[in-house]
Amino acid sequence: ADYGVKPQTLEVIKLAQASGAPIIVALNKMDKETAQPDMVKGQMAEHGINPVDWGGDIPFVAVSAKSNMGIDDLLEEILTTAEILELRANKDALAKAAVIESSLEKGRGPVATVVMNNGTLKIGDSIVVGAAYGRVKALTDEHGKRVKTLLPSHTAQVAGLDSVPPAGEVMQVMDSDKEAKEFAMKRHEYD
């Protein structure tokens, strides 16, 4: 809110518009005396991101990451938008998850902590994560309890990979162990 629109913001605007996904703008640093929300809204409007309070269709939420101001409002806006647009993950699709951290644990081998995006992950599923692959041997939730399935938006630690994948990779369920291994090997060749 105090610096205005920067080149990285313009890049994100292009990506967001190209995706066709709903857009919500979190206007950060609103706790600062130097915050100029109208200046930022004007700059965003120049790039097709028109604020609701200016007659547009994009909600802007005033927040401060430092003081947590407006975070509840941002979460409420996300939930309201998802409800109005009836956005739902498909629990019947082939599972996809984002790796948020990974490590090599004694007695368990490579493990990856994932957040499910879509589908349902089950013990026994063949998976690929970047150049790593394997079969889900164990799922452990955030309370340390073993679970048999992992639904969209849930988090768990996944054991059964052949190597430690980097954080940020996408975990995908494949139809077979052979397909997962081939996919991982192709990715390894391009690294």
Side-chain angles (χ1 to χ4, degrees), residues 139-150:
L139 295 169
T140 309
D141 70 12
E142 65 274 13
H143 305 291
K145 180 181 162 197
R146 287 202 168 211
V147 293
K148 292 182 181 181
T149 59
L150 193 61

Side-chain angles (χ1 to χ4, degrees), residues 10 39 61 65 81 92 99 110 117 122 126 145 149 151 164 186:
L10 296 176
M39 175 196 70
V61 182
T81 300
D92 298 322
V99 176
N117 295 333
K122 300 177 287 304
S126 299
K145 180 181 162 197
T149 59
L151 296 171
V164 178
K186 283 180 186 175

Side-chain angles (χ1 to χ4, degrees), residues 50-58:
N50 299 306
V52 169
D53 57 337
W54 287 17
D57 57 351
I58 307 293

Side-chain angles (χ1 to χ4, degrees), residues 34 80 89 176:
T34 56
T80 301
S176 68

